[in-house]
Amino acid sequence: ATLVTVFVIVGLFQVWVTEDFIVKHLGESSGFKGMALGAGIGTLIHGPLVGVFKLLDGLLAKGARTGVVVAIVSTWAIKLPMIPLELRLFGWKFTLLREGLLFLSAFIMAPLMEFALGKDWAQRHRSVSMANVDVTELIP
C-alpha cells in the first residue's frame, strides 16, 4: 500500500509541478539555495527508496541540477517521525550528531558528484530518459 501511495504522489508531482518551477528553484542556476531546498525536501520525504528514485528521475527530467538530486537522496536517510524514538533510545547528543552529519554530508557530496559526473551529466540523463520513453505510455 505504501509503494502504491508513493507512485500516486510521484505521478501527481509530475503533472502538477511545472518545469519552469523546477528550473527556477532546483535548476543549474539555483546555487546553494537550490541545494538547501533539496536537502530540506529530502528530510521530509518518506517511503521506500524505489519511489524516491522515481521522484528524482522526474526532477531531473524537468531540469533539476545533479547536486540538488544528490542532496535529496543524501538527506532522505533523515526520518523526522523517527527522531523522538531515536532521542529516547540514544539520547540528544547521538541524535543531533547523526542527523546533523547526514544533513551536512549532502552539501559535501552534491558538489563532489557534480564535479565527478561533469556539468552535462543531467542533460545526458534527460536525453537518455526521454529516448527510453514508450510513447504509448504517454497516451491516456
Side-chain angles (χ1 to χ4, degrees), residues 11-102:
L12 291 173
F13 162 80
Q14 290 179 341
V15 171
W16 287 343
V17 179
T18 65
E19 193 171 309
D20 291 339
F21 180 86
I22 298 298
V23 169
K24 180 179 178 185
H25 297 288
L26 303 174
E28 293 300 326
S29 62
S30 64
F32 182 79
K33 192 187 321 185
M35 276 200 295
L37 183 58
I41 290 168
T43 62
L44 299 175
I45 294 176
H46 301 293
L49 197 52
V50 67
V52 174
F53 282 160
K54 187 64 181 156
L55 175 68
L56 298 176
D57 184 55
L59 282 172
L60 282 170
K62 288 190 175 211
R65 98 185 226 214
T66 306
V68 169
V69 170
V70 172
I72 292 171
V73 78
S74 298
T75 57
W76 173 82
I78 299 171
K79 302 288 185 247
L80 292 180
M82 298 303 287
I83 289 177
L85 177 62
E86 190 174 348
L87 281 167
R88 191 168 147 231
L89 294 174
F90 302 115
W92 68 269
K93 191 174 185 179
F94 176 91
T95 302
L96 188 62
L97 186 59
R98 188 183 86 82
E99 305 299 341
L101 288 173
L102 278 171

